[in-house]
Amino acid sequence: MLRHIITWKLAAEDTAAKLESSSTIATALQGLVPLIPEIRSLTVASNVVSLDTNWDLVLVADYDDEEALRTYIDHPEHQRVVGIIRPLVAQRAAVDFLV
């Protein structure tokens, strides 16, 4: 199994705007689960500790293998969601590893 982790620093600077951006991103990503069968599990969560120094939001998702991950990444619905996320984000980091 391949675990795909994305973390974001949001562009919003105040807490209320960050919460709104986090909610928008989480809802959009969670909406992909019934649409893309390659997703085995998907969790989106907001940071709750060290709010000034930690990243704001994380995605943890599992796929059978790299091919399944690539299918997810290239899927038109995922690409649509990327268009929602990009304007809300200042920085992004990713890690993929076997579990």
Side-chain angles (χ1 to χ4, degrees), residues 31-74:
L32 296 175
V33 174
L35 303 175
I36 304 176
E38 286 77 12
I39 300 170
R40 295 292 168 236
S41 69
L42 185 143
T43 303
V44 182
S46 295
N47 179 53
V48 296
V49 178
S50 299
L51 299 177
D52 292 338
T53 57
N54 286 353
W55 289 61
D56 300 306
L57 192 66
V58 67
L59 162 74
V60 179
D62 291 331
Y63 305 86
D64 287 340
D65 52 27
E66 186 176 344
E67 182 179 342
L69 173 61
R70 294 202 181 281
T71 298
Y72 161 78
I73 289 170
D74 294 336

Side-chain angles (χ1 to χ4, degrees), residues 8 25-33 42 44 59 72 78 81 85:
W8 297 277
I25 291 169
T27 299
L29 287 166
Q30 290 163 343
L32 296 175
V33 174
L42 185 143
V44 182
L59 162 74
Y72 161 78
H78 175 258
V81 168
I85 294 172

Side-chain angles (χ1 to χ4, degrees), residues 1-4 61-66 69 96-99:
M1 180 143 336
L2 188 67
R3 181 150 295 154
H4 177 62
D62 291 331
Y63 305 86
D64 287 340
D65 52 27
E66 186 176 344
L69 173 61
D96 300 300
F97 59 93
L98 296 173
V99 291

